[in-house]
């Protein structure tokens, strides 16, 4: 659990500093948002995924930043993540090489 928490917070920091240094935020990237069913409404992003029962941690539905952090934890720690969420796996693999 400590390892997952550390990874979770580290990716938040990565996302924050990446945005500050380059204007690029991984959690706001259009492809990432599409993969995780975040859709723009009039004033904010809205989670469109109604399959919360299939989530390893429903906290991922709080906002795009938490979606990024929770999925990054599983990308690193879950050996079956590649099969469970192939789209997200390829996204992280492509970004972090």
């Amino acid at each position: 659990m400590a390892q997952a928490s550390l990874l979770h917070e580290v990716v938040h920091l990565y996302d924050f500093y990446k945005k500050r240094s380059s204007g690029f935020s991984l959690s706001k990237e259009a492809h990432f948002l599409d993969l995780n069913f975040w859709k723009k409404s009039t004033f904010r992003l809205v989670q469109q995924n109604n399959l919360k029962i299939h989530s390893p941690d429903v906290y991922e539905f709080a906002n795009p930043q938490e979606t990024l952090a929770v999925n990054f934890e599983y990308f690193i720690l879950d050996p079956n993540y590649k099969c469970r969420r192939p789209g997200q796996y390829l996204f992280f693999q492509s970004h972090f090489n």
Side-chain angles (χ1 to χ4, degrees):
M1 182 174 262
Q3 204 174 24
S5 295
L6 180 62
L7 288 168
H8 185 102
E9 296 309 322
V10 165
V11 84
H12 277 310
L13 287 171
Y14 173 82
D15 199 37
F16 174 76
Y17 284 108
K18 191 80 167 155
K19 184 177 182 183
R20 280 189 92 194
S21 67
S22 68
F24 167 79
S25 174
L26 196 57
S27 64
K28 300 290 186 191
E29 186 178 306
H31 182 60
F32 175 78
L33 294 171
D34 287 344
L35 276 172
N36 291 285
F37 304 101
W38 286 98
K39 303 294 178 198
K40 287 187 180 187
S41 72
T42 307
F43 299 106
R44 62 189 173 100
L45 288 168
V46 177
Q47 178 52 251
Q48 299 279 314
N49 187 349
N50 295 321
L51 300 174
K52 292 181 180 179
I53 194 165
H54 296 290
S55 174
D57 183 348
V58 295
Y59 191 50
E60 75 174 304
F61 299 110
N63 56 52
Q65 294 82 8
E66 295 305 334
T67 301
L68 175 70
V70 168
N71 278 281
F72 184 74
E73 290 173 43
Y74 285 88
F75 169 72
I76 297 294
L77 298 175
D78 182 0
N80 295 315
Y81 187 76
K82 184 177 185 175
C83 295
R84 293 178 210 267
R85 295 190 172 183
Q88 288 92 332
Y89 179 88
L90 290 172
F91 176 82
F92 283 122
Q93 184 184 43
S94 167
H95 181 75
F96 292 108
N97 197 11

